[in-house]
């Protein structure tokens, strides 16, 4: 059975490496080969989820590379493989022959293969290797159009930010070795001796929060939007940002063994869900809105990991993966057709492109958490675990759920408005639109949308109990009837208010009468009490992001450059000078040694006689 597991990771990694190396020389067959590899990977993932194979191989002295498919990873390998297949199917119609399709499909398969290794790894060294490959390929995919400096800078910011957080895994590995966990197995990290246990936990938490774009690392995710839409769909759903949340769910015993870790992770997730949800409300770019909502929705998974809701967090992860990948693919289809992703310019897009519009509508309502769609049920599983841990966490999570309804309805409201009088108004603002949706788009888009709508069955009593047994958490709390009703009422009320506020009529001129003045006063008061604080908080978060978090990253980069300059000067002025001095001295000694070598025998005899005299003098003096 270990052969099956090695094949599961070898097929995407091997095919991806070949396609990426071949580049333009395989432009024509690259889409077919990429989709075939993704389809084979899905078949292997389903088989592995059923048979639960394990594999192990020597890696370093005293360390092994371990892989296994258990209850948690069985769900993840199917999720990753399914989303990868759907995104690559969509991508077959996204790139023309002028693009380097071999490199694109190769990097996408490498990216997905690294995620598969991440979710099946049972040892920290192998996890760390996959983590690094995922970061490197994400940098290459975000900067895929490397000829455009803005995209390259965005890829650099995303890579350097996540790379800085990834150093936590090295810290964790070193501390685990110092704490006598010789095998570095993930399930043994919780047994690390104190005080090394705290360093292991701190390193894992830092790496996971950075990868999942949680506060204070959330800013890199908006930069990642510079990549192609299929990259955003894969990166924001089942891979990359999901990896950090998965790692925290996987290592919940480690969080539970460290007193401060669970509350820290839970509050970080809850506050990220609320704060980034507010940031999403303030966005005017559809992809930026979806990016901020990704950090917010991942926050629910992080909240679940901190409170011990492993099954609820896994259900949230799977439902969000299907929902968000479908929404990003819809946004990508409109960007290709209309040349814009600005919300104001997308008015009427759902009416003009009805298949994409219907899928986007279902996805938006699912993202809003409206019953009976999947994220409503998954979110309540997470909130039930939060309420059992801390009432404050439950309140913040419920507020974040209401905010999610607002930003989801905002996006839906814009794209479903009546077509503007000038149908071309606002189009082609970012690129030239083709005025048609790629023929390959509807099938994967609707497959993911269908999954997004129905995956809520995993949170029903029967399937939920099965999921809890699957991940080994049978005692995990379930939401009560009043919790389900409260969350449904809150999200429905928030969605209704958001729709009403977006659809409100234009301000009435003052001359129409006193009732109009009263209405205008009421509207101004609503703006002052509701919209004003929300936008002010969003602006404050943006300033904090730009000045504090971005500033810290820039200062770290400057410090790294300064250290590199100092090392160069030490190398040139110290080490190189020392090597040069030694070489010069050796040359001088060589010249001195050659001087007595004349070839005349009588001089050699004279030199030998002098040498013997010197030795005799030394012996006499020593005696």
């Amino acid at each position: 059975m270990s052969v099956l597991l090695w094949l599961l990771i070898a097929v995407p990694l091997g095919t991806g490496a070949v396609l990426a190396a071949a580049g333009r020389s395989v432009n024509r067959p690259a889409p077919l080969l990429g989709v075939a590899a993704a389809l084979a990977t899905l078949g292997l993932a389903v088989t592995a989820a059923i048979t639960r194979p394990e594999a192990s191989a020597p890696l370093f002295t005293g360390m092994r590379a371990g892989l296994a498919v258990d209850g948690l990873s069985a769900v993840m390998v199917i999720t990753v493989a399914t989303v990868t297949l759907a995104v690559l199917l969509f991508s077959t119609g996204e790139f023309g022959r002028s693009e380097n399709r071999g490199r694109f499909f190769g990097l996408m398969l490498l990216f997905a293969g690294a995620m598969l290794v991440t979710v099946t790894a049972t040892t920290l060294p192998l996890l760390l290797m996959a983590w690094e490959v995922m970061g490197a390929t994400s940098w290459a995919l975000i900067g895929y159009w490397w000829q455009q400096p803005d995209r390259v800078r965005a890829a650099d910011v995303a890579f350097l930010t996540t790379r800085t957080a990834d150093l936590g895994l090295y810290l964790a590995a070193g501390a685990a070795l110092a704490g006598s966990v010789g095998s570095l197995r993930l399930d043994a990290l919780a047994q690390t001796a104190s005080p090394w246990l705290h360093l292991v936990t701190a390193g894992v938490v830092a790496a996971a929060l950075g990868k999942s774009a949680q506060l204070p690392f959330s800013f890199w995710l908006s930069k990642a939007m510079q990549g192609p839409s299929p990259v955003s769909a894969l990166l924001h759903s089942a891979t990359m940002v999901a990896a950090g949340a998965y790692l925290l769910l996987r290592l919940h015993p480690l969080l539970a063994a460290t007193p401060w870790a669970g509350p820290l992770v839970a509050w970080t997730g809850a506050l990220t869900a609320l704060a980034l949800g507010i940031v999403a409300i303030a966005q005017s770019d559809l992809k930026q809105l979806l990016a901020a909502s990704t950090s917010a929705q991942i926050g629910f998974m992080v909240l679940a990991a901190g409170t011990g809701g492993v099954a609820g967090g896994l259900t949230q992860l799977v439902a969000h993966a299907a929902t968000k990948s479908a929404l990003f693919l819809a946004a990508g289809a409109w960007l290709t057709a209309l040349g814009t992703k600005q919300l104001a310019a997308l008015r009427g897009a759902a009416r003009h492109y009805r298949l994409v519009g219907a899928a986007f509508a279902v996805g938006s309502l699912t993202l809003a958490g409206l019953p009976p769609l999947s994220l409503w049920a998954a979110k309540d599983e997470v909130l039930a675990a939060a309420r059992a841990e801390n009432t404050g966490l439950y309140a913040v999570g419920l507020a974040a759920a209401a905010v999610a309804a607002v930003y989801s309805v905002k996006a839906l409201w814009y794209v479903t408005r009546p077509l503007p009088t000038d149908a071309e108004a606002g189009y082609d603002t970012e690129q030239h639109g083709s005025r048609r949706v790629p023929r390959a788009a509807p099938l994967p888009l609707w497959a993911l949308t269908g999954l997004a709508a129905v995956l809520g069955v995993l949170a029903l009593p029967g399937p939920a109990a099965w999921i809890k047994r699957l991940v080994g958490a049978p005692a995990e709390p379930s939401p009560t009837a009043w919790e389900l009703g409260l969350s449904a009422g809150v999200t429905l009320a928030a969605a209704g208010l958001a729709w009403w506020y977006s659809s409100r009529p234009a301000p009435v001129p003052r001359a129409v009468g006193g009732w109009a003045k009263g209405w205008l006063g009421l509207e101004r008061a609503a703006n002052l009490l509701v919209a004003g604080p929300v936008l002010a908080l969003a602006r404050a978060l943006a300033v904090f992001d730009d000045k504090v978090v971005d500033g810290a990253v820039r200062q770290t980069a400057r410090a790294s450059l300064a250290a590199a300059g100092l090392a160069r000067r030490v190398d040139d002025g110290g080490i190189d000078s020392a090597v040069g001095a030694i070489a010069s001295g050796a040359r001088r000694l060589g010249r001195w040694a050659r001087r007595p070598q004349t070839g005349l025998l009588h001089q050699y005899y004279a030199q030998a006689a002098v040498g013997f005299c010197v030795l005799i003098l030394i012996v006499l003096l020593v005696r």
Side-chain angles (χ1 to χ4, degrees):
M1 297 306 295
S2 61
V3 175
L4 172 65
L5 193 48
W6 291 119
L7 281 175
L8 175 63
I9 63 173
V11 168
L13 290 177
T15 308
V18 171
L19 290 178
R24 293 183 184 275
S25 63
V26 292
N27 251 15
R28 184 182 295 272
L32 178 61
L33 292 174
V35 170
L39 183 60
T41 302
L42 177 58
L44 291 168
V46 172
T47 306
I50 296 172
T51 58
R52 309 287 182 84
E54 296 183 8
S56 180
L59 186 61
F60 303 120
T61 303
M63 299 181 189
R64 300 187 66 82
L67 296 169
V69 176
D70 58 9
L72 194 61
S73 57
V75 177
M76 285 301 301
V77 293
I78 295 177
T79 302
V80 173
T82 301
V83 173
T84 300
L85 176 60
V87 171
L88 290 186
L89 273 173
F90 179 91
S91 301
T92 58
E94 186 75 0
F95 297 97
R97 294 184 179 179
S98 61
E99 298 282 356
N100 190 337
R101 295 193 289 185
R103 180 163 63 90
F104 176 80
F105 280 89
L107 288 173
M108 291 286 275
L109 285 172
L110 284 172
F111 188 47
M115 183 64 184
L116 287 172
V117 177
T118 298
V119 300
T120 56
T122 60
T123 56
L124 191 53
L126 188 61
L127 171 69
L128 185 53
M129 292 177 183
W131 204 265
E132 295 285 15
V133 172
M134 191 158 43
T137 50
S138 69
W139 170 78
L141 286 168
I142 295 169
Y144 174 74
W145 288 308
W146 54 269
Q147 300 90 341
Q148 302 175 34
D150 289 346
R151 299 182 189 274
V152 175
R153 282 194 294 271
D156 290 344
V157 169
F159 178 74
L160 289 174
T161 305
T162 55
R163 189 70 185 80
T164 301
D166 291 348
L167 296 177
L169 283 183
Y170 290 94
L171 173 67
L177 286 174
S180 301
V181 182
S183 67
L184 290 183
R185 286 186 56 87
L186 296 180
D187 55 8
L189 293 180
Q191 302 168 14
T192 307
S194 186
W196 301 108
L197 175 65
H198 298 279
L199 288 178
V200 172
T201 307
V204 168
V205 168
L209 295 182
K211 211 70 158 183
S212 287
Q214 299 295 284
L215 292 174
F217 305 102
S218 56
F219 63 91
W220 73 261
L221 202 56
S222 64
K223 301 292 185 183
M225 290 299 95
Q226 295 288 344
S229 294
V231 174
S232 301
L234 188 60
L235 185 148
H236 284 250
S237 57
T239 60
M240 190 69 169
V241 290
Y246 171 81
L247 183 62
L248 292 174
L249 292 170
R250 162 68 68 188
L251 295 180
H252 171 68
L254 177 65
L255 303 181
T258 312
W260 54 266
L264 173 65
V265 167
W267 278 107
T268 300
L271 293 176
T272 301
L274 181 60
L276 269 295
I278 295 172
V279 170
I281 293 174
Q283 298 302 314
S284 59
D285 181 300
L286 178 57
K287 286 186 70 174
Q288 291 294 340
L289 184 151
L290 294 176
S293 74
T294 296
S295 289
Q297 292 293 324
I298 295 289
F300 283 104
M301 305 169 206
V302 174
L303 168 62
T307 56
V310 178
L314 180 63
T315 305
Q316 171 80 8
L317 193 158
V318 173
H320 175 262
T323 304
K324 191 54 63 67
S325 55
L327 289 173
F328 269 111
L329 292 184
W334 282 330
L335 178 60
T336 299
L338 303 176
T340 183
K341 54 185 184 293
Q342 296 298 315
L343 286 171
L346 288 173
R347 292 170 65 99
R351 296 176 182 236
H352 189 67
Y353 302 96
R354 295 183 182 277
L355 281 177
V356 177
F360 187 86
V362 174
S364 296
L365 295 176
T366 304
L367 187 65
L370 297 181
L373 301 174
S374 61
L375 281 176
W376 166 66
K379 170 197 63 187
D380 281 344
E381 289 287 332
V382 173
L383 292 179
R387 190 179 72 85
E389 187 73 17
N390 186 295
T391 305
L393 284 172
Y394 176 76
V396 175
L398 195 60
V403 171
V406 174
Y407 60 67
S408 303
V409 166
K410 174 187 175 180
L412 182 61
W413 184 88
Y414 272 102
V415 300
T416 54
R417 291 302 85 206
L419 287 168
T421 305
D422 181 1
E424 299 295 317
Y427 294 167
D428 304 320
T429 56
E430 297 167 70
Q431 64 184 48
H432 176 69
S434 64
R435 299 301 184 270
R436 64 180 181 84
V437 172
R439 286 180 296 177
L443 176 61
L445 182 59
W446 270 101
L448 291 170
T449 301
L451 289 173
V454 305
L455 280 174
V457 299
L458 294 177
L460 294 177
W466 174 76
I467 288 285
K468 291 171 185 176
R469 289 194 301 271
L470 185 69
V471 301
E476 190 174 313
S478 297
T480 60
W482 72 264
E483 288 177 286
L484 293 170
L486 177 61
S487 71
V490 167
T491 51
L492 286 170
L497 286 173
W499 190 273
W500 168 81
Y501 185 81
S502 300
S503 305
R504 72 194 191 286
V508 182
R510 294 183 180 181
V512 299
W515 64 270
K517 294 180 181 179
W519 171 257
L520 286 172
L522 180 61
E523 184 178 14
R524 291 192 190 99
N527 285 335
L528 180 65
L529 295 175
V530 179
V534 169
L535 292 176
L537 181 56
R539 285 191 291 269
L541 289 171
V543 171
F544 175 80
D545 185 13
D546 294 338
K547 300 296 184 182
V548 179
V549 183
D550 282 0
V553 173
R554 286 192 293 270
Q555 291 301 326
T556 302
R558 292 192 186 99
S560 300
L561 291 175
L566 177 61
R568 178 180 58 80
R569 289 193 294 273
V570 170
D571 185 24
D572 294 342
I575 300 174
D576 284 358
S577 298
V579 172
I582 293 172
S584 177
R587 283 194 298 269
R588 286 195 296 270
L589 290 173
R591 286 194 294 268
W592 293 342
R594 285 196 302 271
R595 285 179 181 176
Q597 308 301 318
T598 63
L600 300 177
L601 292 176
H602 67 278
Q603 291 187 2
Y604 294 157
Y605 291 140
Q607 292 170 12
V610 172
F612 279 120
C613 291
V614 171
L615 288 174
I616 291 170
L617 288 173
I618 292 173
V619 171
L620 292 174
L621 291 173
V622 170
R623 292 183 66 183

